[in-house]
Amino acid sequence: MATVEAQQKWRYKNKFVKSQLNIMARKNIHEYLEEIAETHDLHGKAEAATFAVYVVISLIQQGDFNDEAERLHQIFTDSYHRDRDIYAP
């Protein structure tokens, strides 16, 4: 755990571009984030979460002019909602 001084320094330095995200998630989500980080050469779970957001946003943007991307996005959305109990806290 970082010291209070280190946290305050980080917050002051990054106040306009970053905010800290502390989330409670099921253990399997943390394991998936670690796996994503390892398989995509990322710097830990935080970057894996950022990458996951990037992928979803990319699917949404590509879906505006690519039917296959829109179809995949809809499949993933429907699947998540169907299996939400497995993933949501």
Side-chain angles (χ1 to χ4, degrees), residues 26-89:
R26 292 179 184 255
K27 187 173 180 127
N28 65 333
I29 299 302
H30 286 275
E31 292 168 355
Y32 292 145
L33 288 171
E34 288 173 356
E35 181 180 338
I36 291 168
E38 289 175 14
T39 58
H40 292 84
D41 194 29
L42 305 173
H43 298 288
K45 294 188 295 185
E47 193 173 10
T50 302
F51 178 72
V53 170
Y54 171 80
V55 170
V56 172
I57 295 300
S58 297
L59 277 174
I60 292 168
Q61 291 174 348
Q62 287 293 313
D64 290 342
F65 55 88
N66 181 323
D67 291 339
E68 183 63 11
E70 174 60 30
R71 186 182 78 79
L72 287 172
H73 179 246
Q74 194 59 52
I75 288 170
F76 297 146
T77 301
D78 293 344
S79 175
Y80 175 80
H81 285 287
R82 184 180 58 247
D83 299 331
R84 178 180 251 154
D85 294 344
I86 298 170
Y87 301 106

